[in-house]
Amino acid sequence: LLRVMAETQLQASTDTLTGLLNRRSLSEKVSAMQEDLQPMAVAMADLDHFKALNDTYGHDTGDRALRLFARVLRDSLRSSDVASRYGGEEFAIAFPDCSATDATRVLDAIRTHLDAALTVGGLPKFTVSFGVCETQPGEDLDAGLHRADEALMRAKRLGRDRVVRYEGLNSEGEVVEDLTSSRLARDFAVQIEE
């Protein structure tokens, strides 16, 4: 009976396709975190052109793409980080005791790991865009995720396949990004290393 209850609890808290937490469980887990795990960064991720992937290759391939991305997330994050499938092809990640700058580095590494995993996994190429921000002490998760989502939309408008860090809004109401988080800056850093 205890085993059945534990399995039922697990099924209620996770997304059946990816094995990641669902949206409600993410919220519960983050709100249970200690206040001393500040700063906390939160990120929203969206698989780029996912509808086209589904339409072109079928829903089975789309499901495999979601599972592969979830595996890349699990393999790339610390044990204290919390990832969830937020809905459809959107994912949310909480990075306790982590600045937005450090989370940006992790997210860029996830993009690189995804590209390598796609080569090995035999799936059609796809990319992911991220928006990330740092939460304020006492701020609820939804407010942080809202800002991360605004940064994600900015990443999409800039051409996708990048990380945009929320730094505020300009006079037109658009997200101001930190150039260190853009793909341009990453490419520049690679050129310097070469």
Side-chain angles (χ1 to χ4, degrees):
L1 182 62
L2 290 174
R3 185 175 48 81
V4 170
M5 286 174 49
E7 287 174 6
T8 303
Q9 175 69 26
L10 180 65
Q11 289 172 351
S13 65
T14 58
D15 172 63
T16 55
L17 180 64
T18 63
L20 296 175
L21 292 178
N22 60 30
R23 181 190 285 197
R24 181 179 50 95
S25 298
L26 169 74
S27 183
E28 290 171 358
K29 192 151 188 165
V30 169
S31 58
M33 288 180 182
Q34 300 169 349
E35 286 293 321
D36 63 345
L37 294 178
Q38 294 292 331
M40 182 169 72
V42 294
M44 289 294 294
D46 188 72
L47 303 187
D48 297 325
H49 304 294
F50 186 74
K51 183 181 178 336
L53 180 81
N54 259 340
D55 292 347
T56 304
Y57 298 100
H59 291 286
D60 182 54
T61 300
D63 288 351
R64 287 176 51 219
L66 290 167
R67 283 191 298 267
L68 177 73
F69 180 69
R71 182 173 53 83
V72 168
L73 273 181
R74 277 191 300 273
D75 293 347
S76 302
L77 297 175
R78 304 171 301 175
S79 61
S80 60
D81 298 332
V82 184
S84 76
R85 183 173 179 202
Y86 207 68
E89 69 276 11
E90 283 192 324
F91 296 80
I93 309 158
F95 299 90
D97 198 23
C98 183
S99 69
T101 302
D102 290 335
T104 298
R105 289 186 194 106
V106 172
L107 298 172
D108 269 328
I110 288 170
R111 290 176 44 250
T112 302
H113 295 156
L114 176 63
D115 189 48
L118 285 168
T119 302
V120 173
L123 280 167
K125 292 284 184 186
F126 66 90
T127 58
V128 62
S129 298
F130 290 98
V132 63
C133 75
E134 202 166 298
T135 62
Q136 303 302 314
E139 179 180 33
D140 73 344
L141 178 64
D142 288 340
L145 288 176
H146 178 74
R147 289 197 322 277
D149 194 51
E150 287 181 12
L152 172 61
M153 292 303 108
R154 177 81 173 145
K156 295 278 191 184
R157 285 191 300 274
L158 290 171
R160 297 177 168 81
D161 190 22
R162 67 189 68 228
V163 179
V164 170
R165 191 168 77 205
Y166 183 97
E167 293 292 324
L169 300 175
N170 66 17
S171 59
E172 287 82 40
E174 290 187 331
V175 172
V176 177
E177 67 188 277
D178 180 351
L179 288 178
T180 61
S181 65
S182 72
R183 184 176 189 185
L184 232 120
R186 191 199 74 213
D187 293 344
F188 180 72
V190 169
Q191 289 175 353
I192 290 173
E193 289 175 8
E194 292 173 350

